[in-house]
Every structure is written in structure tokens, then in C-alpha cells.
Amino acid sequence: MKKLLRILSILSLVGILALCVFSWFSGDDLCYRNELARYSVLDKAWLQYMYWDGRSTGLASLIQLAGLKYFPAAAITLIWAFSFICMSVMILKIIKLESHSGEEKNISLVETALLSAMLWVGMWKLIPDIIYWPTGGWYCMMGLLALTWIYQFLKGINTKRFTARKNLFIFLISLLCANNSHNVIIPLIFLALIEGVKAIVINQDRKVLSYVLSALAGLAISTIFVLFAPGNFERLKAISWQGFNLSLINYCLIVFAKYCYWLLALFLLFPVFAWLNGLSLGQTLNNFFPGSLKEIVKNKKSLIASLYNHKFLVAAFSTVFVFSATSFFAVPRTAIFFAMFIVIYVVQKSSINFQPARSKKFVTGSVIFLSFFIGIVIFEMVKVNALQNVLESREAKYRLNQRADVTVDAIPESNVPFAFTFVDISADSGNWVNRCVASNSNIKTVRTVLK
């Protein structure tokens, strides 16, 4: 049975990557490609920084733009799918590092597959945007960068040796990783602060101060660069933003409610894996309660200790703070950062273990779960292959009608697999998607007609 579990683990990871073969360019992808035909990657990144988005000069953005300019859709989404799997590896490494098990370097194939499949199924509403969409998949890369920073920072804290070389390293990696999404910057700063405060106030270890300050300096520089980009303010003007007001708490609550809805499947999978690990519901829930409020706030040390013990939960909640200005920008893909902190917190606190245990129930349950996951992947492959054939026939029609007005049959939404983002053209040839398709295919106009 364990051999079968290993085979299914390989097939699951291959399945996540193999779906990339069926990805294609549409909507925003084509608009970006049209613009990148006129600009270099660096020029386009800077234009976006100045007129649309403060994240545009970060590593993830540069990879996104380079991919859209030079690579086919399958190659770009393969990068995002690999980043997604690496996120699972980094989550496991962080959990093991925090448990001081000393096993963070030995992440098994089965562990990686189980967590990757759990995240894929649990975040099924996000998957179309964060893996198989050439433009939006960079969120996986941003998540991976954030997790890499957390692992390196915590690893440095745990060594308790703070040399000038190590301080410089964490400063540089903080610069690199914090040039990231707006709603992952605040959690990184919080984690650096709580680790430093806990070490100094509770552990009475001031040697860590230089290391934490080096990290915070790098984070602060990148944060200022991202948050105060001229493009952010231009973007807010585009939605007629009226400034901060008393609705900011409401906006955060709205986003939190959206995240819980989009990640409902993930929350339902937690008790399943806890049960497979032989953990009772009561035993699991007891680890999550921080204690009475009176005990938490009775003194400074107890408050710091409570925040430290639940730091990844606080980090998850802090990802919604950026939406205190407006909940308009909260779309499913933005929930990826909330999800990754929640996963770390829940798995850590509930003692869920993804390693093949001696328990026959765990192995059998894992085999069933991965078989179910592989079934979903195969179903999506069959469905997307049929859609891709339709899209290829469209492309052939475009090539035969260069510089002409073209009409194509509309594609029903029911024909689009849930794992893929597809922004189709409409019956209005002046629609922005239609114009991007027409420009990219060298035709005059394009629109859909009902069969």
C-alpha cells in the first residue's frame, strides 16, 4: 500500500505540471503581449510601476513579463505550477523548522504530493488564477518568495549566531522578497517584529537585535518602494477612491468573509487530515485556543507570548489590512497569502503529519485522496483538450482572414474547465478583449455569434 501511495504521489505532482500543457493566452495575456511587442521587459515594468502597480519591478513581475514576451503559455504556467509545488515544500520546511525537529531538509515525495494536492483541491476557486493563467500565475511566485524569506529568517533566528555576514544576507534577501504583493508585506514585517520582541523581552537575548534590525531595514526599504509607487495612486484614482474612512473595518471584514468562502474546501480538508492522523476533534481544537483574555493581557510578557504562539494566524489576518482602503481589489487569487499562513498555523497547531505513518488508516486515506485528486486532473485534461481544439480552429480562421472582420462561434461557460481562467471575446467587437485578440492575430475586428 505504501508503494502505491508513492506512485500516486508521483502521478499527482506530474498531473499538476501536466495540466500546463493545455494552457493558452487570452484576455489580459494578449493585451500584455501586444504592449510587450513595443516595450522591453524593464520598460514595461517601469511604466506599470509609475502608472498602475507598485509590485511591477519585483522579481515575480519581471519573470511574468519576460514569460509573456518570450515564452509560450505552457512554459509560463509551468513556472507557476513548479512555484506552487515549491510553496508546499517551503510550508513543510517552515513547520518542521518551527517544531525544532531538525528534519526540514528531508521533505519526502509523499509529503510534498499530499500537501500540494490538498492545497490544489482546497484552493480550487483560486487555482485558475494562480497556476494555469499566464498573467495571474505570478501570485504563486510571490507566495514562494514570501515563504522563502520566512524560512531563511527563522532559520537565522534559530542558529543564534548573528555575524555581520548573516546580517547582510538577511538584509539583501529582505530587499528581494519584500518587493512583493502589497498584502504579503505587512505579515513579513509583523513576523520579524514578533520574533525580535520575543527574543529580547522574553528570552533576554539582545544579540538577535542586529539581525532583526537588518531584516526590518530591508523589508522597510522594499515596502516604501512598493506601497508609495506612483502607480498605486493612479490605480486608486481609476476607481474614484475617496480616501480612508470609517468603512475601513467593514472593508476588511468583507474581504475576510470572501476569503473564508473561497477557501471553504481547504477548511473542510483540515479535519479530514487530522482524522487520518488519529487526532480527535477535541484534542485538535484545544491547541487553537489562546486562553482567557485576562491571562493574555495580564502583563507584557504574556501578551507577547500569546502573539508569538499564534503568529501565523495573526499574519494570515494581516493580509487583509491592505484592503482597508477598498475591498474592490480583493479577488480570489489574493487569498493565496491568507491561505498559506492559515495552512502553516493549522498544520502546526493541530500536529497534522503528512508523512506515511504506521497507521493503516492514514495510508489508505491518503491513497483514496490522491486517487480522487488524480481523477479530477484527468477529467480537467479531457475537458480542456476539447476546448483547446475549438481555440485552435479559431486561430486557423484568424490566419485565413488577416486584416478582415471575423466572426466566431461563442463558447459556452459550461465548456470551460474550472481549473483554467478564460476571458473570451464577446459579441461587441469594441470590447477590450476583442480588440486585444484582433491586434494579436492581425485581423481587423473579431466578435462572437450564437450558434
Side-chain angles (χ1 to χ4, degrees), residues 254-273:
I254 290 170
V255 174
F256 175 70
K258 286 182 177 180
Y259 283 0
C260 290
Y261 169 70
W262 291 328
L263 298 171
L264 181 60
L266 183 62
F267 293 132
L268 294 175
L269 283 173
F270 287 138
V272 172
F273 276 90

Side-chain angles (χ1 to χ4, degrees), residues 283-412:
Q283 178 186 355
T284 304
L285 291 177
N286 283 337
N287 295 325
F288 293 96
F289 292 106
S292 67
L293 182 60
K294 184 178 179 180
E295 287 295 316
I296 292 172
V297 300
K298 69 177 181 180
N299 57 52
K300 180 170 61 177
K301 286 189 177 182
S302 63
L303 177 60
I304 293 170
S306 182
L307 285 172
Y308 179 81
N309 290 333
H310 301 276
K311 61 188 175 186
F312 289 112
L313 179 63
V314 177
F317 287 139
S318 69
T319 62
V320 307
F321 287 169
V322 71
F323 298 110
S324 60
T326 173
S327 59
F328 177 82
F329 294 115
V331 291
R333 61 183 173 272
T334 62
I336 186 175
F337 308 120
F338 179 85
M340 70 187 193
F341 288 121
I342 286 293
V343 169
I344 294 174
Y345 178 72
V346 172
V347 172
Q348 181 187 59
K349 288 293 181 183
S350 62
S351 301
I352 291 175
N353 192 337
F354 291 97
Q355 288 183 321
R358 293 180 181 177
S359 166
K360 185 178 180 180
K361 180 173 69 173
F362 175 85
V363 176
T364 303
S366 297
V367 166
I368 293 171
F369 175 69
L370 289 182
S371 299
F372 168 72
F373 172 68
I374 293 168
I376 293 175
V377 170
I378 292 173
F379 178 79
E380 289 296 284
M381 283 184 179
V382 172
K383 193 167 185 178
V384 74
N385 184 61
L387 176 59
Q388 199 172 54
N389 291 335
V390 174
L391 294 175
E392 286 175 357
S393 66
R394 277 188 179 182
E395 291 294 331
K397 190 171 185 178
Y398 297 156
R399 288 192 293 270
L400 291 173
N401 294 275
Q402 297 288 284
R403 302 183 183 282
D405 296 311
V406 180
T407 59
V408 295
D409 292 334
I411 297 175

Side-chain angles (χ1 to χ4, degrees), residues 28-29 32 52-53 55 64 80 84 87 123-143 180-181 183-184 235 255 258-259 262-263 319 323 328-340 421 423 432:
D28 295 60
D29 309 320
Y32 271 108
W52 190 245
D53 196 337
R55 305 168 295 179
Q64 175 210 44
W80 307 145
F84 177 80
M87 282 179 63
M123 298 195 300
W124 71 277
K125 284 187 173 291
L126 284 60
I127 290 301
D129 286 1
I130 64 173
I131 299 184
Y132 306 110
W133 180 24
T135 295
W138 68 316
Y139 272 75
C140 276
M141 177 68 73
M142 289 190 287
N180 206 323
S181 178
N183 50 330
V184 82
R235 196 173 188 179
V255 174
K258 286 182 177 180
Y259 283 0
W262 291 328
L263 298 171
T319 62
F323 298 110
F328 177 82
F329 294 115
V331 291
R333 61 183 173 272
T334 62
I336 186 175
F337 308 120
F338 179 85
M340 70 187 193
T421 290
V423 183
W432 68 273

